[in-house]
Amino acid sequence: MPWFAGVPRKEIEWYPTIDPEKCLECGMCMNCGQNVYKWTKDGPVVAQPYKCVVGCTTCETLCQGAAISFPDKQKLREFYKEHSIWAKVKKELKKEGKLEPQE
C-alpha cells in the first residue's frame, strides 16, 4: 500500500512513548500486532518505534494506566499536507483500482 507515498518511515515521527510513573505493567501494550514493545525487568519499553503503524493509537486507548502517549495528531496531519502525501496516496490508490466501487 502506498501509505507514505515515498516518504521514508523514519522521517515520520509517529510512535508511542511510555510514562514509567503511570505504567501499571498491565501488559496490554504487548498485544501490539507490530511488536513495537519489548518486555524488560522494568516493564515495557518501546523497542521498535518505527514499526508502529502511523496514526494508530490502539495501545494508548487500551493502556490501563494511561501511560502511553503519541505525538500530536495535528503535527502528523501537517506533515502529510507539507509532503502532499494525501494526494500521492490517492493517485496511487486510483492507479491500483482500489478506489473503484466494489459490488
Side-chain angles (χ1 to χ4, degrees):
M1 179 176 206
W3 198 252
F4 309 129
V7 175
R9 173 62 180 91
K10 288 192 175 186
E11 287 185 25
I12 304 172
E13 293 188 31
W14 184 267
Y15 43 81
T17 57
I18 302 171
D19 180 341
E21 298 294 317
K22 293 180 179 179
C23 181
L24 303 176
E25 297 185 13
C26 68
M28 288 303 293
C29 56
M30 298 305 293
N31 287 307
C32 173
Q34 299 301 312
N35 297 311
V36 170
Y37 298 93
K38 179 171 102 176
W39 197 266
T40 70
K41 63 180 176 61
D42 297 318
V45 295
V46 178
Q48 299 186 78
Y50 293 106
K51 287 186 108 183
C52 183
V53 175
V54 176
C56 182
T57 61
T58 301
C59 58
E60 177 183 35
T61 302
L62 299 176
C63 178
Q64 192 174 9
I68 298 173
S69 62
F70 282 86
D72 180 10
K73 284 184 186 175
Q74 187 56 39
K75 288 183 182 179
L76 178 63
R77 295 178 72 80
E78 289 168 9
F79 182 91
Y80 267 53
K81 184 177 181 179
E82 178 183 325
H83 290 83
S84 302
I85 292 176
W86 284 306
K88 291 174 185 174
V89 168
K90 187 171 184 177
K91 180 180 178 182
E92 188 62 29
L93 290 171
K94 280 185 177 182
K95 187 170 118 180
E96 292 176 9
K98 292 184 177 180
L99 297 183
E100 294 295 322
Q102 301 292 314
E103 296 186 35

